[in-house]
Amino acid sequence: MGEKSRSSKGWCGWFLVLVILALVVGAVVITIKKKTSHSDKAPPVPGPPGAIVKKYSDALKIAMQFFDVQKSGKLVDNPISWRGDSALKDGSEATLDLSKGMYDAGDHMKFGFPMAFTATVLSWSILEYGDQMETVNQLEPAKDSLKWITDYLINAHQSDNVLYIQVGDAKADHSCWERPEVMAEKRPLTQINTSARGTEVAAETAAAMASASLVFKKVDAAYSTKLLKHARQLFTFADTYRGSYSVSIPEVQTYYNSTGFGDELLWAASWLYHATGDKSYLQYVAHENGNAFAQFGSPTWFSWDNKLAGTQVLLSRLSFFGTKDIADSEKNGLQKYTKTAVAVMCNLLPHSPTATSSRTDSGLIWVSEWNSLQHPVASAFLVTLFSNYMLTSQTAKLSCNGKSFSAADLQDFAKSQADYVLGDNPLKMSFLVGYGDKYPQFVHHRGASIPIDAKTNCTEGFQWLDSTQPNPNVAVGGLVGGPFQNETYLDSRNNSMQGEPTTYNNAVLVGLLSGLVTTSSVVQSFT
């Protein structure tokens, strides 16, 4: 009797254990299924701009100021206390007003190629993230800086097939160290035309004007129309009279040498299609010219010299947001651009099977010792855009050789590059001048290095280049060149390789920060 009772109790106990175990296993399976199901489902589309991320907001407000530091001409409502009017007679030898525009870096040259790229990227940033800029009161400053450049570009386009692409003699300019306000040297002009061809500069300027026409379309229709007219003319000029400005004008090779013009033609045509809806521009990129120039399937680095990755991401918008009015032959071409844009993303994501090894030990994309921050910041800008296209279109993931990544994964990478720039690096130093407690003090910048009341001419100013004292003026908002691959940085005014800020660096930085400053969906159409 007693033994049977013990056996019965043991059986009941094991039964209870099995029941409980089954419930636990069932719960785990259900949880895994839920998680798996959730991972395959896209997160909700972000609504209006959400909570502001203070570090990115502060950095954006600072970065935007560098455009004011770089402005040439008669300054209006000038917020930079140590800057004044300069280069007021630029263009006079051709009876043109080329006084506006921006100095490209720490010197006083106006190089049209990188300046136009600055305008295109600034336009793109405004078109995608204008609502986020407005949330932190940076939309109007961005439009003002953009118009300062496009006003100059309009005046530089004297006739259909003539474009002035440079003001100043680079060799003479670099033989001086002086404030722009006291420049007395001659400022010769350089142009491209049907004989001295410059397809890449003409096409980049067309892209700048086409994209800017979209920015001003609703606020100044007449100005927008004028920009679009110039954009069309310049694209026709660029495409009809093909030739590299590096060949036509060999002296440009020292500073902004072009490695080819095919990328600019595709970039310009893509912007013209967005600005006009004219299918001929879409056909231009989708067929013969795309096959000739787009390097489908091969990721490239986005920069002032190479626009392919930017073009691929820009055209991927069409695939993300609908191609119902586009012919099948063009759709096939667009798919090639989108697939290559995915390849660009997979190249950048650190845990992707096809991730590039071009990085520092801390994870910063690193391609070139000269101006090393250009590539990681430009890459992070494109990744931010692509992640927002995924979110807005409810695309749950992208695949990199069978491994899936979400929009959040892309944003994590973009934030890692931005955070590195802002001080999350082995040096614990911000590379954005004016941001944080520690940033470069000996920036390679003429105006910033010379006291405002100093009386110097072209050569006397070199005492300030060689001074051991920090810059008396802060080139606020300038993104310096950046670290070496071993993550060292020499804060020396003579170290232009690492310590010179540029307007085109700031353009991609403004775009990146505008995309990170708060959460929001992007518009599905620019028009």
Side-chain angles (χ1 to χ4, degrees), residues 108-394:
H108 303 142
M109 291 296 298
K110 293 178 190 173
F111 292 110
F113 194 23
M115 194 194 305
F117 174 73
T118 297
T120 310
V121 171
L122 194 51
S123 293
W124 197 5
S125 304
I126 294 169
L127 291 168
E128 302 280 15
Y129 298 123
D131 59 342
Q132 300 185 201
M133 289 180 175
E134 192 167 26
T135 301
V136 291
N137 300 315
Q138 295 305 298
L139 179 56
E140 291 309 313
K143 287 181 178 178
D144 175 72
S145 293
L146 173 60
K147 192 172 184 296
W148 202 266
I149 297 176
T150 54
D151 283 352
Y152 167 88
L153 295 177
I154 288 172
N155 289 350
H157 185 212
Q158 185 182 38
S159 61
D160 288 10
N161 298 330
V162 175
L163 176 69
Y164 286 90
I165 63 162
Q166 183 174 305
V167 180
D169 178 275
K171 186 175 181 181
D173 182 90
H174 286 72
S175 298
C176 293
W177 193 270
E178 59 190 344
R179 297 175 63 245
E181 291 80 3
V182 300
M183 283 190 297
E185 297 75 40
K186 289 184 178 180
R187 304 270 291 170
L189 306 177
T190 304
Q191 68 168 243
I192 55 172
N193 49 52
T194 57
S195 299
R197 300 180 179 188
T199 293
E200 56 274 272
V201 191
E204 181 59 64
T205 307
M209 291 185 170
S211 56
S213 76
L214 286 165
V215 171
F216 296 108
K217 189 171 185 177
K218 293 180 181 178
V219 295
D220 191 339
Y223 189 68
S224 174
T225 300
K226 178 187 287 188
L227 286 167
L228 198 52
K229 178 182 178 182
H230 281 280
R232 286 181 180 273
Q233 291 173 344
L234 281 164
F235 180 76
T236 299
F237 169 43
D239 193 38
T240 303
Y241 299 95
R242 291 186 180 184
S244 174
Y245 93 134
S246 290
V247 175
S248 301
I249 311 167
E251 54 266 32
V252 305
Q253 295 175 20
T254 304
Y255 298 98
Y256 290 102
N257 181 49
S258 171
T259 56
F261 55 71
D263 55 312
E264 279 83 20
L265 286 172
L266 298 177
W267 176 240
S270 300
W271 275 113
L272 276 161
Y273 173 68
H274 280 87
T276 65
D278 184 337
K279 295 291 178 59
S280 68
Y281 294 116
L282 185 60
Q283 292 163 0
Y284 186 96
V285 301
H287 298 302
E288 180 180 349
N289 293 289
N291 293 329
F293 300 129
Q295 297 180 30
F296 292 127
S298 300
T300 53
W301 301 108
F302 186 46
S303 70
W304 60 264
D305 179 42
N306 193 332
K307 320 299 161 43
L308 287 181
T311 302
Q312 289 145 9
V313 171
L314 175 63
L315 290 177
S316 75
R317 291 184 112 263
L318 302 175
S319 297
F320 275 113
F321 300 133
T323 55
K324 64 180 181 179
D325 296 326
I326 297 175
D328 288 342
S329 58
E330 277 77 60
K331 288 179 184 177
N332 293 335
L334 289 174
Q335 282 300 319
K336 294 179 183 178
Y337 284 97
T338 302
K339 287 179 180 178
T340 310
V342 170
V344 171
M345 300 301 117
C346 294
N347 184 58
L348 295 170
L349 288 166
H351 301 298
S352 163
T354 56
T356 180
S357 60
S358 298
R359 305 174 199 267
T360 67
D361 288 343
S362 297
L364 179 75
I365 292 292
W366 198 92
V367 178
S368 170
E369 63 181 5
W370 275 95
N371 192 15
S372 63
L373 286 177
Q374 177 185 195
H375 293 105
V377 174
S379 297
F381 172 53
L382 293 186
V383 168
T384 301
L385 289 168
F386 202 86
S387 71
N388 286 138
Y389 299 165
M390 289 177 67
L391 286 170
T392 304
S393 65
Q394 286 281 271

Side-chain angles (χ1 to χ4, degrees), residues 10-71:
W11 180 85
C12 290
W14 280 110
F15 178 76
L16 287 172
V17 169
L18 289 172
V19 169
I20 292 170
L21 183 60
L23 290 172
V24 170
V25 171
V28 170
V29 170
I30 290 170
T31 302
I32 290 173
K33 282 185 176 180
K34 284 183 176 179
K35 287 184 177 180
T36 303
S37 174
H38 179 72
S39 67
D40 290 336
K41 184 178 179 182
V45 178
I52 294 170
V53 182
K54 187 178 186 302
K55 63 179 175 181
Y56 300 136
S57 172
D58 291 347
L60 176 59
K61 293 173 183 176
I62 289 170
M64 199 73 77
Q65 293 180 62
F66 189 63
F67 296 126
D68 289 317
V69 170
Q70 296 302 98
K71 284 180 179 176

Side-chain angles (χ1 to χ4, degrees), residues 400-417:
C400 300
N401 280 20
K403 187 172 182 179
S404 296
F405 296 91
S406 67
D409 294 323
L410 270 68
Q411 290 181 346
D412 286 344
F413 165 77
K415 290 174 183 176
S416 74
Q417 305 301 288

